[in-house]
Structures are given as C-alpha cells and as structure tokens.
Amino acid sequence: MNKPVTVADALRLGGVTRRGFLKYCSAIASLMALPPASVSVIAAALEKARRPSVIWLSFQECTGCTESLTRSHAATVEDLIFNAISLDYHHTLQAASGDAAEAAREAAMHDNYGNYLLVVDGSIPTGNPGYSTIAGISNKDMLLEVAAGAAAIVSVGSCAAFGGIPHADPNPTGAVSVADLIKDKPIINVPGCPPIPAVITGVLVQYLTFGLPQLDHLGRPVAFYGQSIHDRCYRRPFYDKGLFAESFDDEGAKKGWCLYKVGCKGPTTYNACATTKWNNGTSFPIEAGHPCLGCSEPDFWDAGSFYKALSTPTGSIGATAVYAAGAGLLAGAALGAVQRSRKNAAIRKHEKIGIDDLTQES
Amino acid sequence: MTDTDFLLLVRGPLFDAATFILCAGIVVRILAILLMGRKKNLAEPRGSAVTGGFGTMLRRSLPDAGTFHRSGFTVIAGYVFHIGLFVVIFLFVPHILVFERAIGLSWSGLPSNIVDATTVVTIIALVAVLIHRFTDPVKRMLSTFHDYLVWVVTILPLVTGYLAFHRIGMSGPAMLAIHILSVELLMVLLPFTKLSHAFTLWMARWYNGAVAGYKGVRS
C-alpha cells in the first residue's frame, strides 16, 4: 500500500467520513475561538497539508502525556489526526526497538532534515548524563542532535515545557526544560500534567493549518492557554457571591461552592480545562470537587501547598507578628530610656538664673 | 525567576519581613510617644482630662457643619476613600483569609462585585483628592514629597489589586505577586510615614481633648 501523502489521504484511509472530518475541524475552530468561516479554511489546509514527519522524544517523564493522548477515551478523530501525521519515532508507541528504532529515527531525520516536527515530553537531566539515556545516548545529546534538524519543537507536558516534577526542589538530576537548552528553534509549549488530549492535537492542527501559533510569554499557544481556569470556571458565580467550601466535606463542598479557600489555583492558572474538559468532555478536576493544582504553570509542584488559599502568606505570620511586637517593645523601651536620659542631661546642664544674676551690673 | 517563584517570594519571606517591620514599627512608634517622659502633674484640675479626651475622640470623628461648609470636598472624598479602603481591605474574602492566617479570626466578606465596585470608587476618590491637592493653592503649598509618597503607596495596592482581580496585562501569578508586593511596601512604610495616623489617630484625638478638658494649670 502506498503511504498516504496528505493528511486527508491518511484520514480517508482511516475510515473518517467527510462529515466526521468537518465536525472535527469545527471543534478545533471553536476551541481556538475562531469564527465559523474558518472551519472551511482549516479543512482545506488540512486536506492539502503534506503529512509532516514527527519525531517524538520521551525523556524524564511518566508517560502520562502519551497516555493522555492515546488512552484517554475510545478512538476518536483526534487519534486519527494523530495517525495522519507520520509519527516516525516514538519509543513508547512504536513496535521497533533497539537499533531498529534508532535507525528509524535517523532515517526520518535524514529524509526530512529541516522540515520535521519534534515533539518532546519529559525534562532533560543536566547532571549526570547517565540519569536518563535512550539506546546509550544521553537525553541532552539526543535532544540537541534531533532539534538541529527540526522545523519546530512542541514541548508536550509541563516537564518538557517547564521542567515539571523532575525539576521540583531539590531537582536531583538537574532537570531543565527544552527551552532551557534550545534557543535557535521555534518552541511551542503545551504544558499540563498531562495536557488535555484535544489541546495536544489542536496545537498540531494549528501548526499544520496556520503555521506557528501566537504564543504567550511562557511560549504557550494563546488559542488554548489564553484564559484562566477561574474566569471560565462554572463555580465562578459562587466566588463572586462569596460562597465557599471551607473543607472537602462541609455543606459548601456538597453544594458545589467555590474551592478558593481550599487552595484552588484557578485564578493564576491558564489552561482550557474549564471549557474543553477531560474524558471526552465529561468533566474537569474542579467539577470532581478538587481544586485546580495549577499544573500548566511553571513550578506548580513547588508553588506552596496545593491546599492553602492563593492569597495567604506561606509563613507563620502570627508568630512573626508576636516576635516583631516583642522586638518592638525592647527597641521602644531602649529608645525611651535614651530619650529620657537625654532629657535629664539637658535639665542638669541647664543653668538656673537667680535674682542675683538679673541684678548684676554688666 | 519565574512568575511562580516571584509569587512564592512575596507570599513567603517578603511577607514575613513586611509583617515584622509593620508590627515592630507600630510598637516602637507608640512607645516613643508614650515614653516621652512627661513630668508628674500634682495640680488639681478643674475639669476632666478623661471626659474631654473621649469627647474629642468622638466629636472629631464626625464632620461638623463648619468644616463641611469650608471644605466639603475634602470631607466627602476623605470619607469615601477611607470607607472604601475599609471595605476593600477587610471585607474581600481572599483578604479575610490573610487575617485569619495571621490572627486566627475570620468574618464574613462581601460579594466580589461589590468589593470590585468599591475599589473603583476608592481609586476615583483618591485621584480626585490628588487633583484637589494640586489645584488648591493652600493644599499645594502645604504638600511635601512625603504627602505624594503616601498617596502613591496607598493607591498602588488598589490599582494592582484591580488589575490582578481582572487579570489585565500580565499573567495571573505575576500580577498577584505585584499586588502583594505593593501591599508589602505599604506595610513597611506605614509606621514611619504620615500613614501612621492609622494607629496614632485615637491617641492624638484623646490628647487634644484631654488638654482642653483639663481646665487648669499644671504643676
């Protein structure tokens, strides 16, 4: 069988109907907040797009990102879109192993040098190169080698985008993100722990149709990471009314009130969870009664307790205030004593004038 | 430094430092006033210093007709931004959580849209007060750098808080961190500037009233 040349060929071979394909294009357009007219543009671009070669490198990761993409729910058009790209190397998904697998990677690099898309999940250890290797090659060496011929890089998951959990304090492996090592290639960060499957494929579709997407200051596509969880949360009206769950089993929690007081990071977290949702659009963590952890923001693992309200100080403020008052009392008493002794000294120095002084002849 | 690191820094060590300076500063300033070393008074007063003191504490808190007539704008704008600051600081739920963490006491807050509207009104009142300070010849002559500094550190938390609440301009963590930092600046400067009237106010009013209520010569 001939290899399909365009994305449309691949989709047709995968059994996707025209109707199913357009439905997917509409879903992507709405996800990116594009007008309905753009659906036909996306469809046309996807139909014509040549199947890009994709090399997927997995470094210090838990495979959660791949799981999110491939195992989250039954086969969907998203899966087929993913099949529509030429995924030439993914050591978790591919059948080949050992030298054959590495040969596939080298062949894909050689055939598409300068044009392939590099997808990375997992952070890269910069400590001992032996902390994480593939086929005896350190993660850092492999990333530098494959990135050199890539048209663009997609960092999937918070580990590849920001260092993630391996980067968490005390960061024993010296883990860094892709953007920490690669400075001369366009990098699209798709953070999340894991990212939403529809967002991963959405970013790929956006790249295939419109080229590099508009990114925010953290390198995330604005189309998917442009709004905070808090602003799109269905519990937001409770926040505005001042109705909060105080714990996980109180009346407020049962009534589905806002989880701000139990540590929700929604106000400072930018992601599409509240709109796109998970498990085929079923729900997202806040809907299941758990506060947002802020997993699509850098260093979410070290950003204070998951269960402390975002506005509160992290230290023991009460104790600090008591110590401060004690120190203030001591300092104030000492200053008072100094003032008093100065005043007394001034009184002692003051020469008293008697009647004799006033009547003295000059 | 990432936005998250910045937020952690201002919620952690910097907030601790600001709390320490605020609390220690207030205690030192109050002690400095109380321990000035007044002579013991042996004379018998005709009136009562205590009655006069408390009376003035009450009377000076209410606008009298004469003051209102002479400078109505200052009275109204002053009340608006002081009440506004009270609402915004003490009745916004995320702020109440800070007090709960510091002193263990909690109370009910207002809906966020009311606090939001109050913030806007307070900012407008503060801007109006500044314009009045610039345009009124007497106020302008009396104003020093100190007065403008105090105005800036008072309005900054309101503006940054408004921006953080509406997530305007910067990412959520960075704007929230800048808001908390602006509050810390206020906390650090409060004991050592004219803002110290927040805690010397009642002492000063009592003293004025006590002097007048005493009615007699001191020994």
Side-chain angles (χ1 to χ4, degrees):
Chain A
M1 189 181 79
N2 285 336
K3 269 188 150 186
V5 180
T6 66
V7 173
D9 291 342
L11 289 172
R12 269 191 287 278
L13 281 173
V16 177
T17 62
R18 177 77 187 156
R19 184 181 176 80
F21 174 63
L22 286 176
K23 270 172 84 176
Y24 176 73
C25 292
S26 305
I28 290 294
S30 65
L31 200 59
M32 292 193 282
L34 293 172
S38 65
V39 174
S40 56
V41 178
I42 293 176
L46 273 181
E47 277 173 347
K48 282 187 205 139
R50 289 180 63 82
R51 296 177 72 226
S53 169
V54 173
I55 296 177
W56 184 306
L57 299 178
S58 299
F59 297 139
Q60 291 192 129
E61 45 82 45
C62 66
T63 317
C65 297
T66 302
E67 289 283 340
S68 169
L69 186 66
T70 59
R71 301 270 295 274
S72 56
H73 43 81
T76 61
V77 183
E78 277 115 313
D79 294 334
L80 291 164
I81 279 287
F82 212 69
N83 291 334
I85 60 171
S86 176
L87 187 56
D88 292 324
Y89 178 86
H90 187 309
H91 69 213
T92 310
L93 299 180
Q94 71 198 80
S97 62
D99 290 342
E102 295 313 302
R105 175 174 64 82
E106 281 159 17
M109 284 173 62
H110 182 263
D111 294 345
N112 305 286
Y113 203 81
N115 298 313
Y116 57 81
L117 190 63
L118 170 60
V119 179
V120 180
D121 69 331
S123 64
I124 303 98
T126 55
N128 188 327
Y131 283 144
S132 178
T133 63
I134 299 162
I137 305 168
S138 77
N139 287 171
K140 187 179 173 185
D141 288 346
M142 188 177 278
L143 175 67
L144 294 178
E145 183 194 347
V146 181
I153 303 172
V154 181
S155 296
V156 169
S158 291
C159 295
F162 307 130
I165 294 171
H167 179 75
D169 189 47
N171 191 3
T173 63
V176 295
S177 69
V178 173
D180 287 330
L181 292 173
I182 309 292
K183 304 288 181 195
D184 58 347
K185 295 282 175 186
I187 298 175
I188 307 165
N189 285 333
V190 188
C193 193
I196 304 168
V199 170
I200 304 176
T201 51
V203 168
L204 294 175
V205 169
Q206 200 176 7
Y207 177 73
L208 291 177
T209 48
F210 300 114
L212 283 169
Q214 186 195 348
L215 305 175
D216 69 5
H217 72 296
L218 292 171
R220 304 176 293 196
V222 174
F224 303 104
Y225 295 88
Q227 284 181 313
S228 74
I229 299 290
H230 186 59
D231 286 340
R232 306 295 294 176
C233 182
Y234 77 106
R235 295 196 190 205
R236 176 63 188 265
F238 295 113
Y239 172 90
D240 287 330
K241 282 183 193 159
L243 299 173
F244 296 88
E246 305 280 340
S247 72
F248 287 108
D249 53 1
D250 71 351
E251 205 52 35
K254 285 173 191 156
K255 285 180 176 164
W257 290 353
C258 176
L259 299 169
Y260 186 89
K261 285 191 178 179
V262 285
C264 187
K265 304 290 179 288
T268 54
T269 304
Y270 289 71
N271 206 338
C273 301
T275 43
T276 307
K277 302 192 179 179
W278 289 80
N279 299 326
N280 219 359
T282 305
S283 66
F284 70 114
I286 292 173
E287 219 166 337
H290 194 280
C292 168
L293 301 181
C295 74
S296 57
E297 296 295 322
D299 299 330
F300 79 99
W301 200 256
D302 290 323
S305 165
F306 286 156
Y307 302 106
K308 261 187 201 163
L310 199 56
S311 65
T312 56
T314 54
S316 315
I317 291 305
T320 305
V322 171
Y323 290 134
L329 276 174
L330 286 175
L335 281 174
V338 170
Q339 270 179 1
R340 193 166 289 225
S341 75
R342 271 192 195 161
K343 191 177 168 186
N344 290 339
I347 290 170
R348 278 197 303 278
K349 268 191 189 169
H350 186 77
E351 285 180 24
K352 287 193 174 130
I353 300 174
I355 191 75
D356 296 341
D357 300 311
L358 292 173
T359 53
Q360 257 177 0
E361 298 283 328
S362 59
Chain B
M1 184 192 273
T2 63
D3 293 351
T4 313
D5 289 337
F6 181 29
L7 181 58
L8 268 189
L9 179 71
V10 297
R11 284 176 66 197
L14 292 187
F15 201 90
D16 263 342
T19 306
F20 192 93
I21 294 170
L22 174 73
C23 295
I26 289 175
V27 173
V28 167
R29 291 300 304 273
I30 289 177
L31 280 181
I33 295 167
L34 296 181
L35 299 178
M36 276 168 98
R38 305 205 168 277
K39 273 193 199 159
K40 197 171 180 188
N41 179 28
L42 299 170
E44 188 77 23
R46 281 198 297 124
S48 164
V50 175
T51 314
F54 281 114
T56 302
M57 275 169 74
L58 178 70
R59 276 193 301 281
R60 293 271 166 96
S61 306
L62 305 168
D64 73 290
T67 314
F68 193 81
H69 186 71
R70 278 194 307 278
S71 43
F73 172 81
T74 308
V75 172
I76 291 171
Y79 266 88
V80 167
F81 86 75
H82 276 95
I83 292 169
L85 282 172
F86 176 83
V87 169
V88 170
I89 295 171
F90 295 106
L91 298 178
F92 185 47
V93 173
H95 297 166
I96 297 171
L97 294 178
V98 179
F99 291 107
E100 188 181 1
R101 186 144 173 77
I103 56 176
L105 292 176
S106 183
W107 51 90
S108 299
L110 286 174
S112 64
N113 44 13
I114 294 179
V115 180
D116 191 31
T118 310
T119 308
V120 175
V121 171
T122 312
I123 290 172
I124 292 170
L126 277 169
V127 170
V129 161
L130 182 72
I131 292 170
H132 193 246
R133 190 181 278 280
F134 277 134
T135 50
D136 185 274
V138 177
K139 271 193 181 173
R140 197 173 56 210
M141 198 196 79
L142 291 172
S143 299
T144 61
F145 167 75
H146 209 128
D147 295 294
Y148 298 111
L149 174 73
V150 160
W151 183 88
V152 168
V153 296
T154 307
I155 202 168
L156 262 185
L158 286 165
V159 173
T160 56
Y162 184 82
L163 295 178
F165 180 77
H166 291 282
R167 278 164 285 284
I168 299 168
M170 294 177 85
S171 79
M175 205 62 237
L176 180 60
I178 287 173
H179 171 58
I180 297 174
L181 190 64
S182 71
V183 174
E184 286 160 2
L185 181 67
L186 178 68
M187 288 163 74
V188 167
L189 290 180
L190 190 138
F192 311 107
T193 57
K194 287 183 179 179
L195 292 172
S196 60
H197 73 269
F199 56 85
T200 56
L201 168 80
W202 303 111
M203 291 165 72
R205 281 187 186 168
W206 191 89
Y207 189 74
N208 282 341
V211 168
Y214 181 85
K215 292 190 173 59
V217 180
R218 287 170 185 274
S219 66

